Amino acid sequence: MQLLLTLLIPSGGPLKTGKSRVLYVASEEFPAVAVVGLGKENISEPIEERDEAKEAIRTAVAAGCQSLGDAGINKILVDPCGDGEAAAEGAHLSTFKYQDLKSNKKPIPTVHCFVEGDTGWNYGSTLAKGQNIARRLMETPANILTPTNFAQEAVDCLEGLGVEVLTRSYEWAKERSMNAFLSVSQGSAEPPIFLELNYRGNSFSDEKPVAIVGKGITFDTGGISLKPSSGMEAMKGDMGGAAATVGSIFIAAALGFPINIKGFIPLCENMPGGTATKPGDIVVASNGKSIQVDNTDAEGRLILADALHYASQYKPRAIIDLATLTGAMNVALGTGATGVFTNCTAMWELMHRAGTISGDRVWRMPLWKHYSSQILDYGQADVNNVGKYSRAGGSCTAAAFLKEFVTCDHWMHMDIAGVMENKDEVPYLGKGMSGRPTRTVAHSFELLAKGESEL
């Protein structure tokens, strides 16, 4: 049975924006219709810093799909509402469920465009698929998604699209003096993996690649600086940066963006084993800088330090790093936006525009010497991993720490700790791991590929 999801703009009716109502009609072809409120046309709210029309369509389509799914419908045809891309995103993101390990799986309706050949729908479907790939990786329990198995997932996801996936071992990392990365892994029985991803979308030119670095802590106990047990199960999602890296490169490859991209993902667990790094230990990173590790739960910046230095050696066009890095970012922005730090205004303008298109916004945070002094002028090493004042300005001092390992003039750090999970803040994502900001990063690739940036 085929069901039509049609979306209307009620004029003065009782149906509110983003709400839905299922109507059962006397039609053999479409016996049920979900009518959803899109709100006012041509709405513009500059202070929101996103395309409100696109966001209204995503939210409305999601509400309709949810209503029909709850009614037991297994196939939904979606009216693209004049923007097939946004409609497809709302449909595919809202119908995602992680139930790979359940014996009794709930049926998930398939969603299709009511208008045949809508190119925007196909485009939006790919964007949503990339984010859903990241969501599935983030939802997978850590005993299953080990560093080794994450690497295999990346191979399975990307190699069919022509992306080269290189899996590097402990020995490879040791030869390159990635001691900060390896220090995090040494308390775990799981071997660390360093992934290198190569997408050549513009292989007929000598164009420098864009580098993307994703934090890949497949489980984070905090190490010796152990986290509280309550809520620790969510730390299976501490590889959200790595997941979004895979998802965004998947989108670029699937849509054939004419751009070269190199991905770098350090993968390991942060465990409190007998050989784990101890608070106060000092390690020397691959760029020769010594690091005093005063808190082993500030481990993401350690693995990124070596990855950023390695990525910088390719002299890329730009570097973007993605990391569920600090609880301080969650306190600062919550789920409203990804906090970004950059040494390049053109990078900010690029990502800000990408977030406006995707609806998954970014907000610029300070990368001042004020914060650098707190991690450089403290302790017995060149750099301290938490800084003089510990919790105060924690996301800012973390970004200042990363800056010490970057030599690229066009670098952006994206702290995605606040957007790692969704409760009900983004209506079309449901409850669980969000996969954010996969689509925003993919749009930044697209804008670069089109030459719509000064970079």
Side-chain angles (χ1 to χ4, degrees):
M1 180 182 295
Q2 292 186 344
L3 280 298
L4 168 67
L5 168 62
T6 183
L7 296 116
L8 307 175
I9 304 174
S11 55
L15 200 58
K16 295 182 179 180
T17 303
K19 301 298 182 181
S20 67
R21 180 179 300 133
V22 177
L23 306 177
Y24 295 92
V25 295
S27 167
E28 292 186 6
E29 187 177 9
F30 302 117
V33 177
V35 183
V36 183
L38 282 175
K40 298 178 181 179
E41 289 187 275
N42 303 318
I43 186 171
S44 177
E45 297 186 36
I47 196 171
E48 291 297 322
E49 301 187 32
R50 67 183 179 189
D51 189 319
E52 289 296 286
K54 283 182 175 289
E55 195 68 7
I57 291 171
R58 291 184 192 104
T59 301
V61 169
C65 288
Q66 185 66 53
S67 295
L68 291 174
D70 290 345
I73 306 308
N74 58 21
K75 182 177 181 179
I76 301 172
L77 299 183
V78 182
D79 185 326
C81 310
D83 189 333
E85 179 181 321
E89 289 175 319
H92 287 286
L93 291 171
S94 65
T95 53
F96 169 86
K97 284 186 177 66
Y98 181 81
Q99 49 185 357
D100 296 20
L101 304 174
K102 286 191 173 184
S103 299
N104 298 316
K105 296 178 173 61
K106 294 181 180 179
I108 299 175
T110 60
V111 291
H112 310 271
C113 188
F114 181 61
V115 179
E116 292 186 10
D118 189 304
T119 56
W121 175 272
N122 296 332
Y123 197 87
S125 296
T126 302
L127 287 164
K129 185 175 181 180
Q131 184 164 346
N132 285 341
I133 286 170
R135 293 166 85 184
R136 185 178 65 81
L137 290 169
M138 294 174 73
E139 290 284 6
T140 303
N143 64 319
I144 296 173
L145 196 70
T146 61
T148 300
N149 290 342
F150 185 105
Q152 186 58 52
E153 289 283 345
V155 169
D156 295 343
C157 178
L158 297 174
E159 282 199 338
L161 295 172
V163 179
E164 181 185 31
V165 181
L166 302 173
T167 302
R168 312 296 198 180
S169 66
Y170 169 91
E171 289 75 17
W172 178 92
K174 190 65 178 176
E175 288 174 2
R176 285 153 184 80
S177 300
M178 293 184 173
N179 301 313
F181 166 43
L182 295 178
S183 73
V184 177
S185 73
Q186 66 191 41
S188 172
E190 291 291 339
I193 298 288
F194 192 97
L195 279 185
E196 190 170 340
L197 315 174
N198 295 307
Y199 168 64
R200 296 280 291 175
N202 194 3
S203 57
F204 296 105
S205 79
D206 295 327
E207 180 184 82
K208 292 181 178 180
V210 175
I212 178 167
V213 180
K215 174 188 170 183
I217 299 292
T218 59
F219 195 78
D220 182 18
T221 66
I224 298 299
S225 305
L226 195 67
K227 294 177 180 288
S229 60
S230 178
M232 194 192 290
E233 69 281 356
M235 288 299 97
K236 66 183 179 182
D238 205 26
M239 31 56 71
T245 296
V246 172
S248 60
I249 292 178
F250 167 86
I251 292 169
L255 293 176
F257 290 166
I259 187 173
N260 297 330
I261 304 170
K262 290 187 73 70
F264 305 93
I265 302 176
L267 292 158
C268 67
E269 293 181 336
N270 185 23
M271 300 290 284
T275 56
T277 297
K278 303 171 290 297
D281 284 359
I282 294 177
V283 297
V284 179
S286 53
N287 70 342
K289 290 188 178 182
S290 59
I291 303 169
Q292 183 168 324
V293 184
D294 278 354
N295 188 330
T296 64
D297 194 23
E299 86 298 330
R301 65 201 71 183
L302 297 177
I303 71 170
L304 289 175
D306 284 328
L308 285 167
H309 174 63
Y310 182 67
S312 297
Q313 293 178 56
Y314 284 90
K315 302 189 183 305
R317 182 178 178 185
I319 297 178
I320 302 166
D321 77 71
L322 295 160
T324 50
L325 205 64
T326 66
M329 184 54 69
N330 187 24
V331 172
L333 298 178
T335 58
T338 294
V340 301
F341 302 78
T342 182
N343 60 2
C344 173
T345 296
M347 284 285 287
W348 159 244
E349 292 172 347
L350 170 73
M351 201 63 69
H352 181 258
R353 184 178 172 193
T356 299
I357 298 168
S358 71
D360 193 357
R361 295 167 288 194
V362 297
W363 187 259
R364 191 173 188 177
M365 303 288 286
L367 191 66
W368 299 331
K369 293 178 182 179
H370 173 87
Y371 299 107
S372 293
S373 64
Q374 295 175 29
I375 56 111
L376 294 175
D377 302 332
Y378 180 67
Q380 299 173 317
D382 297 324
V383 190
N384 189 281
N385 84 319
V386 286
K388 189 180 299 184
Y389 305 117
S390 186
R391 293 172 60 87
S395 60
C396 300
T397 53
F401 178 97
L402 296 180
K403 183 183 176 184
E404 295 301 307
F405 300 88
V406 176
T407 55
C408 179
D409 292 333
H410 307 134
W411 163 64
M412 173 173 282
H413 161 55
M414 305 183 75
D415 191 333
I416 61 175
V419 303
M420 182 181 83
E421 294 183 274
N422 191 69
K423 301 179 188 69
D424 56 10
E425 300 92 337
V426 181
Y428 48 85
L429 290 182
K431 185 177 181 179
M433 297 295 170
S434 72
R436 297 169 67 186
T438 300
R439 289 180 300 114
T440 296
V441 174
H443 278 299
S444 76
F445 292 157
E446 179 187 24
L447 293 171
L448 282 172
K450 290 180 177 179
E452 298 184 21
S453 171
E454 296 178 4
L455 293 174

